[in-house]
Amino acid sequence: MKNCLQVTECISGRLIIITAIAGVTILAAALVTMALDPIQLLINYNTRVTNNSFMFNMFQKEVDGAHLSLYVFNVTNAQEFMTGEDHSLNVQEVGPFTYAEIRQNIDIDLDEEAGELEFTPNMKLRFVPEQSVARPEDVIVTVPNLALLSVASLVSSLPFFIRNTFKLLFSTLNCKSITTIDVYSFLWGYSDPLISQAYNIVPGIVYFDKFGIMDRLYDNKTIYRMRVGIRDEDRFSIKTLKKYMKSDNWMNERALESYKYKNTYEGAAYPPGLNVETPINIYRLGVCRELNLEFHGTKNMEYGGDAWIYRISNETFNRDCGAGVCGMMDLSSCTYGIPITMSRTHFLDTDPKIYERIKGINPDPSKHDSHFLLEPNIGISLSTSLSLQMNMNLADLRFSDKTEMFSDLVLPVAYIKVVQQDVFDTLNGILRTIHVTAPITLISIEVTMFLIAVAILAYSGLLLYRRSKCKAKKKAYAKLNLRQNLPLIQCQLKKT
């Protein structure tokens, strides 16, 4: 009788391939998820600027933005200074007088193909009495006559006969170098017969009919046209800024001023997914030059993530040293020649020689420094405290006895503290989701996917091992059957 051994069917190779592909696919998905950061991808998608997107709709709304607190430097020794009894000018800050910025972007032109957004920022100010010492109309201060000093500075470099004409004009109009005025007029502008006369004499040099600090920063006779980027890498970065005279056909007119910027933002929104190496500059309407920011570390926030701390760099106030304006930012190019400069408040971190003839300057980092707190994932500003001082960098004014005491003086005029409104209540839930809930959920999913992939691949390996063992057994049994059957076949051959 033939002695034959039987072997069952081995595991299907197709099943092994299917399980192996499933395991590799799930593992690859887990690795891709780890590498691509889907949370940031979702943030980028939800903060995109396209027609009818959330960001674009928000961009068009009127918003109550930053609060501006103004402090005026009141002169306390006017008579002694003008007579020469005191060589130094004594000042004392008066304030704050606080205004809320109300902004709406109008005339919006979105070009998705070019990746740009063009618009006109429309800014209004609302007085905030509860954050002010008093109404500016009710507070009287003694301040330098900015109209006189501005005109004197503008004509100081003109030919001798023109300077003499203005010297005579100063005396004829009985101009005073230091005047008493209410804060509102000082901020928003006051008419002065000197300005009117100067405008008629040198209209190409003196173009304004009144002078005020806020009137210069929020000039209601002009209109700005701004173009910003909308792609992930340059979102809300200012590309160009043009300034026009406000009229019915301003779009057909030649721009009064035109500027190009790079890596410059208005301070509210930035590209999502910032990194520490990303250069950041800040621009404020009315100030034609940007402020360069430096990264100064991180701060752990209550929502579970780290915010980035930035401060204004020293380079911002030292870039004009070559032009003789060191420790300050020269703004004369965008104030029609008026020698206005911006510095840190109370000349913080500035060479004391600059204000050696000014008494009452008390720089204090806790009060006068600026900081910016940014959330890098979304690219938004969480907190801003920007403090800047407006000065007049006066030239040689000895051509007139009305102004000679102010010659070569850096005169502090006022300072502005810009504080962004709190956004934590609005964004706290979103930020906690981004920094706590979403990462935990994502890690859990990634770990689960990884474990499932490992388990499937291990099972696939086990199936492959069993299949190889099965095939080995089948091969061995086949050889054994062959040895047992050969003699019988040979016998049968011999009998025939």
Side-chain angles (χ1 to χ4, degrees), residues 318-358:
N318 291 327
R319 64 176 67 147
D320 297 322
C321 289
V325 184
C326 210
M328 298 175 289
M329 186 168 57
D330 184 12
L331 300 183
S332 60
S333 62
C334 53
T335 55
Y336 301 94
I338 300 172
I340 293 177
T341 63
M342 281 284 189
S343 68
R344 298 186 195 271
T345 300
H346 275 256
F347 296 108
L348 178 68
D349 296 333
T350 305
D351 188 346
K353 288 185 178 179
I354 290 180
Y355 54 92
E356 61 184 357
R357 289 183 59 200
I358 306 294

Side-chain angles (χ1 to χ4, degrees), residues 35-247:
L36 291 182
D37 190 359
I39 296 175
Q40 190 62 52
L41 291 176
L42 286 172
I43 291 172
N44 293 353
Y45 179 79
N46 286 293
T47 58
R48 70 195 188 284
V49 182
T50 59
N51 268 317
N52 299 317
S53 68
F54 171 78
M55 291 297 288
F56 186 57
N57 291 334
M58 287 295 296
F59 189 79
Q60 300 176 75
K61 291 184 177 180
E62 184 177 88
V63 294
D64 191 347
H67 281 197
L68 284 75
S69 296
L70 291 103
Y71 298 78
V72 175
F73 286 107
N74 179 58
V75 176
T76 60
N77 66 333
Q79 185 175 352
E80 293 83 354
F81 180 75
M82 290 308 300
T83 59
E85 181 180 344
D86 287 351
H87 182 65
S88 299
L89 190 69
N90 297 346
V91 297
Q92 181 182 40
E93 67 176 54
V94 177
F97 302 93
T98 302
Y99 293 84
E101 281 186 339
I102 302 171
R103 170 167 171 161
Q104 185 173 23
N105 300 311
I106 59 175
D107 297 330
I108 298 173
D109 182 14
L110 176 64
D111 189 341
E112 294 186 45
E113 185 177 346
E116 293 179 340
L117 178 67
E118 191 172 16
F119 60 94
T120 296
N122 186 28
M123 196 83 73
K124 296 181 290 185
L125 293 181
R126 174 177 56 83
F127 182 64
V128 185
E130 61 271 19
Q131 296 180 18
S132 307
V133 292
R135 299 195 68 84
E137 300 91 333
D138 300 332
V139 179
I140 305 299
V141 290
T142 301
V143 291
N145 186 341
L146 299 185
L148 171 64
L149 295 176
S150 297
V151 172
S153 294
L154 288 171
V155 303
S156 63
S157 59
L158 298 181
F160 173 78
F161 73 93
I162 295 181
R163 296 201 307 272
N164 266 0
T165 299
F166 274 92
K167 179 180 178 179
L168 179 62
L169 183 62
F170 295 164
S171 298
T172 302
L173 296 176
N174 194 26
C175 296
K176 294 182 179 180
S177 298
I178 299 179
T179 185
T180 299
I181 193 173
D182 66 273
V183 171
Y184 183 86
S185 298
F186 185 66
L187 294 179
W188 292 102
Y190 54 94
S191 298
D192 191 291
L194 172 63
I195 296 179
S196 300
Q197 293 292 335
Y199 179 83
N200 293 327
I201 297 172
V202 281
I205 302 295
V206 179
Y207 84 99
F208 46 88
D209 56 2
K210 65 177 182 176
F211 191 96
I213 298 169
M214 298 297 286
D215 181 61
R216 292 299 88 213
L217 294 178
Y218 293 88
D219 186 358
N220 59 11
K221 293 183 179 179
T222 59
I223 191 169
Y224 289 91
R225 193 70 178 163
M226 189 179 294
R227 181 182 288 120
V228 301
I230 61 171
R231 295 191 174 99
D232 288 349
E233 63 274 11
D234 66 354
R235 192 168 299 162
F236 300 118
S237 171
I238 301 171
K239 305 295 185 182
T240 61
L241 179 73
K242 294 182 180 181
K243 184 177 180 180
Y244 299 87
M245 289 300 295
K246 189 179 289 185
S247 65

Side-chain angles (χ1 to χ4, degrees), residues 266-325:
E266 288 195 86
Y270 305 86
L274 287 173
N275 60 67
V276 176
E277 288 74 29
T278 304
I280 295 178
N281 302 308
I282 294 295
Y283 169 81
R284 287 281 304 172
L285 281 177
V287 181
C288 58
R289 303 184 67 183
E290 67 272 28
L291 308 171
N292 175 255
L293 300 189
E294 285 181 338
F295 178 74
H296 273 259
T298 62
K299 179 181 179 181
N300 187 258
M301 306 300 289
E302 61 184 25
Y303 54 76
D306 286 338
W308 292 359
I309 302 170
Y310 285 83
R311 299 188 187 282
I312 302 176
S313 71
N314 290 330
E315 175 196 354
T316 297
F317 301 106
N318 291 327
R319 64 176 67 147
D320 297 322
C321 289
V325 184

